[in-house]
Amino acid sequence: METTHFSQTLVLSPEDNKRLLNLCGRCDEHLHLIEKSLDVSIKQRGFTFHISGTTTAVSHAITALTELYDAALKTPFLALKHIHLHLQGTKNTQASPHSITHRGQPMEIRTKRAVITARGENQIRYLKNVAEHDVNFGIGPAGTGKTYLAVACAVHALETARVSRIVLVRPIVEAGEKLGFLPGDLAQKVHPYLQPLYDALYEMMGFDQVAELIERGVIELLPLAYMRGRSLNDSFIILDEGQNTTIEQMKMFLTRIGFNSRAIITGDITQIDLSNHRDSGLIHAIELLEKVKGISFSEFKASDVVRHPLVQSIVEAYELYNQLNKKNK
């Protein structure tokens, strides 16, 4: 464990007061977050920053401040979430600094409304696998970007005419609650279950375009049960919450994939809502298909969480609890 105390001075240039204010945040809240996340002390006077901590931590802080100062020019308003996401991506690539790019370029997905950048080694590996394999599994805890990146890949494929439609699928399983009768037609009944997929689509394509494409059938959002009998060609298919499929349902889904189609299955095997966890089609598929060519498995960890910093701590606490329970059994 590194304990050597080290100090270094960073002078940002060119001098730009708006960028500096954007970097530091209101009442220096961005600097406080950097201090807490990287375990350093930062003293700032104008464009000069004195950073203290371990040699490695100071080096990471200097890199973060420099990169965020550049980002402050491109982004009119840096929010705390932008700082957190940047730091999270930096942490996840510290162990493998050469993996942050692919063929010399940042791993990005460009849609007409947004540019989505992979944050961390596992997200980069996930995107590489999606580009190279026809069937991909993204497995890991909540908040690691599995579904969001999958939707981004689907939108990019549609906008570049790689596929002619997007099919988003979820098993309709209640998360520990009995909701009873739900009013409305089929679309209204299943809408709450598919809301996370709608949210990602709205962010990347806009509400009006998504509504138009759904009306034209270019984008389909379906409960898993409605996939039986389908053969999906020229499609980008995403099965979200795959841990809640049964073995039979997973087999049914995987055999729907047609020519010029790509499929991504996402799930978190620690949040299975089936009455018998051993019936999970996702767990069965991992064990059965790991050696099959054309299929890739990307695993995310608690350290890959890119939501609120507390989410990572919560996931880690539950992981520790599960490990202790296994030892005691």
Side-chain angles (χ1 to χ4, degrees):
M1 185 175 177
E2 190 178 3
T3 57
T4 305
H5 193 74
F6 178 74
S7 296
Q8 191 166 339
T9 299
L10 169 68
V11 180
L12 295 175
S13 63
E15 294 187 0
D16 183 327
N17 288 324
K18 286 186 178 179
R19 283 172 69 183
L20 182 65
L21 180 62
N22 200 9
L23 167 66
C24 296
R26 183 178 55 188
C27 300
D28 291 337
E29 61 180 355
H30 296 169
L31 298 184
H32 297 323
L33 178 57
I34 294 171
E35 287 181 315
K36 183 178 179 181
S37 297
L38 300 182
D39 194 20
V40 295
S41 172
I42 300 175
K43 294 181 180 179
Q44 177 240 343
R45 187 178 183 126
F47 294 88
T48 302
F49 294 75
H50 299 283
I51 305 120
S52 303
T54 65
T55 305
T56 302
V58 169
S59 175
H60 292 151
I62 288 174
T63 300
L65 286 167
T66 303
E67 291 176 350
L68 287 167
Y69 191 62
D70 291 337
L73 178 64
K74 302 171 186 176
T75 307
F77 176 72
L78 284 175
L80 270 176
K81 70 173 184 179
H82 297 122
I83 308 300
H84 168 66
L85 289 173
H86 182 89
L87 294 173
Q88 192 67 27
T90 300
K91 284 182 182 178
N92 289 342
T93 53
Q94 284 169 6
S96 303
H98 298 295
S99 68
I100 61 173
T101 61
H102 178 50
R103 295 172 183 170
Q105 298 296 322
M107 284 296 289
E108 296 177 337
I109 306 170
R110 293 183 174 271
T111 68
K112 291 180 180 178
R113 288 176 61 99
V115 177
I116 296 92
T117 304
R119 301 183 182 279
E121 184 180 357
N122 286 331
Q123 285 197 1
I124 291 168
R125 186 181 296 112
Y126 184 48
L127 293 184
K128 287 181 182 178
N129 287 340
V130 172
E132 296 169 2
H133 297 86
D134 290 333
V135 178
N136 294 271
F137 287 78
I139 306 148
T144 50
K146 307 181 302 293
T147 301
Y148 187 80
L149 289 175
V151 173
C153 290
V155 171
H156 175 72
L158 182 66
E159 292 182 344
T160 56
R162 163 71 177 76
V163 297
S164 61
R165 61 177 166 173
I166 296 173
V167 181
L168 306 177
V169 185
R170 257 196 172 199
I172 305 302
V173 178
E174 296 167 346
E177 297 180 68
K178 296 298 181 183
L179 300 179
F181 173 77
L182 293 175
D185 58 21
L186 175 65
Q188 292 170 322
K189 290 178 190 291
V190 302
H191 187 280
Y193 295 95
L194 301 172
Q195 189 62 52
L197 300 174
Y198 279 105
D199 291 341
L201 285 173
Y202 292 151
E203 182 176 335
M204 296 172 200
M205 304 182 79
F207 182 87
D208 292 338
Q209 186 180 13
V210 170
E212 179 189 346
L213 292 176
I214 290 175
E215 187 175 350
R216 287 166 45 197
V218 176
I219 296 177
E220 290 186 75
L221 295 101
L222 299 170
L224 179 59
Y226 283 72
M227 289 288 288
R228 188 171 296 281
R230 303 283 300 273
S231 182
L232 299 173
N233 298 315
D234 200 29
S235 304
F236 202 112
I237 315 153
I238 298 172
L239 171 60
D240 193 29
E241 299 291 341
Q243 76 276 5
N244 287 329
T245 62
T246 64
I247 295 172
E248 293 77 12
Q249 286 176 324
M250 181 63 76
K251 177 185 175 183
M252 181 269 289
F253 172 81
L254 291 172
T255 53
R256 301 306 95 202
I257 300 165
F259 294 104
N260 192 40
S261 288
R262 188 147 294 186
I264 301 178
I265 299 93
T266 67
D268 177 1
I269 58 175
T270 69
Q271 297 197 49
I272 299 172
D273 298 314
L274 300 173
S275 55
N276 188 342
H277 287 195
R278 288 176 296 179
D279 290 337
S280 172
L282 181 59
I283 293 176
H284 181 262
I286 293 169
E287 296 170 351
L288 184 68
L289 303 175
E290 199 164 4
K291 304 296 183 183
V292 177
K293 288 186 178 180
I295 296 179
S296 76
F297 294 83
S298 300
E299 188 170 355
F300 295 90
K301 302 176 182 177
S303 58
D304 296 308
V305 171
V306 290
R307 290 183 185 168
H308 191 286
L310 273 177
V311 174
Q312 181 177 334
S313 300
I314 291 167
V315 171
E316 289 172 344
Y318 273 95
E319 285 183 350
L320 180 60
Y321 173 79
N322 290 334
Q323 290 170 7
L324 291 173
N325 269 358
K326 286 179 181 179
K327 288 181 181 179
N328 293 332
K329 285 182 179 178

